[in-house]
Amino acid sequence: MGVTIKDIAKETGFSVATVSRVLSNKVGFFSQETAAIVNAAALKLGYKKNMAATELVTQKSSIIAVIINSTKTNFSDPIIEGIQQKANEADKRVIILYAGDHDFRSQQRALTTALERPLMGILLLSVDLFADNLQLLKTANVPFRFISISFQDPDLKYVASDDWQIGYLATKYLLKKGHRKIGLAGVDIESSAHTGKLRLAGYQRALIENNITPQKDWIQTGNYSYKAGLNAMKNYGQQKNVSAIITGSDLVGIGLLNQAAKMNISIPNDLSLITIDGTYLCRIVQPQLTSITQNFYSMGYLGAEYLISNQRQNAFTDIQISERGSVRKLTAADSEN
């Protein structure tokens, strides 16, 4: 059993009330000499303040719960770094819980574990909650905000990239490189979150502006995973129905890249790729992957800042094109083939 206030009172000879006031830093109720004696005894005995008990009494908390989708993503680390940086600056603490891979019970378990104690708020990283779990969160009377995922529901506040702009910008980039048959791979357009739908809409708009009608077989849906990239490349096959592909994530891009190699399709000579995310994964493969790069650190930092300051607006963070080696500019001769 840990050291208690009663142990310190016994060690110092002061009353439990006096020791409690010193350890709670209630200035004006004790002398500096008393404080020095109590604090020295607490250090000697190895006393650690029970923050959970204190928060239950005061109904105030400095804890931010971060709930993460357990899908193997490559962008959660910089988001968490941003959250942790802002939490440190604001003297808040962070706990991390995992919500499974779109699994109802895992989501529910993460939420109930967080809500069992006082919290200042919850941040959800790319977690698309089932309806019942979302209702649980909404009725918990705890501030929350989503990161790297957006919704139409005005009650669901978020910090994310502008996914419509991502789809539009990636497509415009490939069009400027001479590509007209452009695929979109590995995006989820069935989810209640609007990430995939918005990227698809931006992609379609850019094509239509250039008098190009998107073909059904140009779009290969998926769950943003490496396996989704493998499957997409198999479906595109060797028919050369597209000359370039926008991938829903870096992992999708690497799946496409590796499957293309097995099919003797050269990137970028035979097929160009531009990924969405722009994490370190783009730089550790050959060829290195051109990307629409999102600012995940800023997402985390800003999400934590908005939660702590109780701001209600949504926010988009910056995106940019990072050119590497996976996109080839088509020549007039290529266009004729």
Side-chain angles (χ1 to χ4, degrees):
M1 185 174 178
V3 176
T4 68
I5 289 176
K6 289 182 180 180
D7 296 323
I8 298 173
K10 184 177 180 181
E11 174 76 14
T12 61
F14 295 118
S15 68
V16 170
T18 297
V19 172
S20 177
R21 292 188 187 107
V22 171
L23 296 177
S24 299
N25 199 27
K26 293 184 177 179
V27 178
F29 291 90
F30 50 84
S31 67
Q32 290 298 316
E33 182 180 1
T34 297
I37 294 170
V38 170
N39 286 325
L43 181 63
K44 173 186 173 183
L45 297 174
Y47 171 77
K48 293 182 180 179
K49 190 173 183 179
N50 187 335
M51 293 300 296
T54 301
E55 289 164 358
L56 283 170
V57 172
T58 64
Q59 291 300 300
K60 293 181 180 179
S61 177
S62 63
I63 299 291
I64 298 172
V66 177
I67 298 179
I68 303 174
N69 191 325
S70 294
T71 301
K72 294 190 181 302
T73 62
N74 50 298
F75 56 77
S76 59
D77 285 353
I79 293 177
I80 292 170
E81 287 173 11
I83 292 170
Q84 190 65 65
Q85 178 61 38
K86 182 60 191 178
N88 290 342
E89 292 173 5
D91 196 26
K92 308 301 179 185
R93 292 173 294 150
V94 174
I95 60 173
I96 296 175
L97 300 163
Y98 290 90
D101 184 4
H102 199 61
D103 178 78
F104 175 83
R105 292 189 181 280
S106 295
Q107 287 183 2
Q108 189 176 70
R109 190 177 301 113
L111 286 169
T112 54
T113 299
L115 294 170
E116 283 172 353
R117 62 168 300 149
L119 295 170
M120 79 163 302
I122 298 175
L123 294 172
L124 300 102
L125 275 60
S126 212
V127 178
D128 183 18
L129 291 173
F130 288 88
D132 287 351
N133 290 334
L134 179 58
Q135 186 61 26
L136 170 64
L137 179 61
K138 284 183 172 182
T139 57
N141 199 30
V142 172
F144 65 90
R145 181 173 289 267
F146 290 86
I147 297 179
S148 187
I149 190 170
S150 62
F151 303 87
Q152 279 194 325
D153 186 339
D155 292 332
L156 304 183
K157 301 305 178 185
Y158 57 82
V159 176
S161 297
D162 185 336
D163 286 298
W164 189 95
Q165 191 65 29
I166 283 176
Y168 183 81
L169 184 63
T171 310
K172 291 287 284 186
Y173 174 79
L174 292 173
L175 288 165
K176 288 179 181 178
K177 295 291 186 179
H179 297 276
R180 293 183 64 81
K181 297 179 179 179
I182 299 171
L184 178 65
V187 294
D188 182 356
I189 59 175
E190 302 298 329
S191 168
S192 61
H194 274 215
T195 303
K197 297 182 185 75
L198 289 169
R199 291 176 182 178
L200 174 62
Y203 156 84
Q204 291 172 328
R205 182 61 186 174
L207 291 177
I208 290 168
E209 285 180 356
N210 286 267
N211 301 313
I212 300 170
T213 302
Q215 302 301 303
K216 186 177 181 179
D217 61 355
W218 292 0
I219 300 168
Q220 300 292 332
T221 58
N223 63 349
Y224 306 102
S225 67
Y226 176 81
K227 185 177 180 180
L230 295 176
N231 292 337
M233 191 66 246
K234 291 175 185 176
N235 291 335
Y236 284 121
Q238 303 217 31
Q239 300 175 17
K240 295 191 176 180
N241 55 335
V242 294
S243 66
I245 301 171
I246 302 164
T247 77
S249 71
D250 295 343
L251 286 172
V252 173
I254 295 174
L256 278 158
L257 181 70
N258 288 347
Q259 184 60 37
K262 292 179 181 179
M263 299 166 66
N264 295 316
I265 296 172
S266 172
I267 309 295
N269 294 328
D270 300 326
L271 180 68
S272 291
L273 298 180
I274 180 169
T275 75
I276 297 170
D277 284 344
T279 66
Y280 73 95
L281 292 180
C282 294
R283 302 186 297 274
I284 63 173
V285 294
Q286 289 297 325
Q288 293 188 357
L289 297 172
T290 293
S291 66
I292 302 294
T293 299
Q294 303 186 69
N295 194 333
F296 292 113
Y297 178 90
S298 289
M299 279 186 207
Y301 187 94
L302 196 59
E305 182 175 63
Y306 278 19
L307 187 73
I308 292 168
S309 60
N310 198 30
Q311 296 188 50
R312 297 295 298 158
Q313 71 267 34
N314 298 320
F316 288 136
T317 51
D318 294 337
I319 57 174
Q320 64 180 23
I321 294 175
S322 300
E323 293 190 287
R324 298 185 181 93
S326 62
V327 175
R328 182 172 74 93
K329 184 172 183 178
L330 296 186
T331 65
D334 292 318
S335 301
E336 291 173 1
N337 293 332

